[in-house]
Amino acid sequence: MEQTFYEQVFEVVKLIPKGRVTSYGAIAKSLGAGGSSRMVGHAMRYAGSVHPPLPAHRVVNSVGLLTGKFHFNPPTLMAALLENEGIIIKNDKVQNFTTHFWNPLTEI
DNA sequence: GGATTGACGTGTC
DNA sequence: AGACACGCCAATC
């Protein structure tokens, strides 16, 4: 099986350290997708379909907004998990986003 | 099989 | 600094 774009996305997401978050665009860039950041979002939609549920709660948009929180089982689960990892969520938004940001381009 | 939407990002006004 | 517009490509209708 060739590593599809989605599998690579899953791999990167799984590599996100605990207490850290990243953005769709950063993942897309690290995979060479560049502007195809939306593909990362589509890949995340498969997060609930894959066997090991991906820590999709660690993936937010470029401003640290929990855009996909409504796709979680209880929509509040995303913020709850992030807060459980020491990340502050306010107004469905990651506080100190740049501090908790995990750059796959650099850390991978 | 064409048209629309979408867990987004970046550039421009 | 906030709001609007465009692009990217896949999945769904």
Side-chain angles (χ1 to χ4, degrees):
Chain A
M1 275 300 279
E2 307 91 28
Q3 289 273 308
T4 64
F5 180 77
Y6 303 97
E7 297 218 14
Q8 294 179 59
V9 173
F10 297 152
E11 211 171 313
V12 174
V13 173
K14 280 191 254 181
L15 284 173
I16 302 176
K18 175 177 175 270
R20 287 283 188 84
V21 291
T22 190
S23 62
Y24 300 91
I27 296 175
K29 266 186 194 174
S30 68
L31 297 181
S36 308
S37 44
R38 280 189 153 164
M39 302 298 87
V40 181
H42 272 256
M44 296 270 83
R45 212 168 75 70
Y46 279 69
S49 302
V50 296
H51 275 223
L54 298 172
H57 59 274
R58 292 176 186 158
V59 184
V60 295
N61 72 350
S62 59
V63 297
L65 191 67
L66 309 186
T67 51
K69 79 168 208 162
F70 293 102
H71 289 254
F72 280 77
N73 201 308
T76 52
L77 181 66
M78 187 170 187
L81 288 169
L82 288 172
E83 286 185 320
N84 191 35
E85 297 187 353
I87 299 176
I88 312 300
I89 306 297
K90 186 141 193 173
N91 242 332
D92 301 333
K93 186 174 45 186
V94 177
Q95 300 302 298
N96 306 318
F97 176 61
T98 50
T99 306
H100 292 297
F101 184 75
W102 178 75
N103 193 340
L105 285 166
T106 312
E107 305 287 328
I108 212 154

